[in-house]
Amino acid sequence: LLDPKKIPCQKGDALFFMSPSAVESFAMMNKFDTELDYYSIGETTANTLRKKGVQKINTAKEASFEAMLHQYTIKNN
């Protein structure tokens, strides 16, 4: 069940997506901005982001939120 919400974002923010349906829900009320960093829990979610036009996606090495945070930490240190 999708529950779209408007999410205020600004340059440098990072968005973490845990499922393809989360991508779909976000897309209903928000735009994908090239100024943001996008993180995906896995390849299926990353493919959904690509279909929405997102080119730079940080995909976790394993399907867990901790792995996504690890990707974020590596990129931002």
Side-chain angles (χ1 to χ4, degrees):
L1 193 64
L2 301 181
D3 186 22
K5 303 222 182 312
K6 181 73 177 154
I7 299 174
C9 299
Q10 60 186 13
K11 181 180 178 179
D13 283 350
L15 296 173
F16 292 76
F17 291 95
M18 305 286 284
S19 68
S21 61
V23 175
E24 295 295 342
S25 184
F26 179 84
M28 293 173 93
M29 297 191 71
N30 301 276
K31 293 184 179 183
F32 291 95
D33 188 334
T34 58
E35 299 286 327
L36 303 178
D37 287 329
Y38 297 93
Y39 290 83
S40 165
I41 196 162
E43 208 45 52
T44 303
T45 303
N47 285 334
T48 305
L49 284 165
R50 284 185 200 95
K51 288 178 186 174
K52 299 296 181 186
V54 178
Q55 299 299 313
K56 295 180 182 178
I57 304 164
N58 302 284
T59 304
K61 303 261 188 256
E62 59 185 61
S64 72
F65 186 68
E66 290 80 9
M68 292 171 73
L69 287 177
H70 182 70
Q71 289 290 111
Y72 175 82
T73 302
I74 289 171
K75 186 174 187 290
N76 292 289
N77 280 331

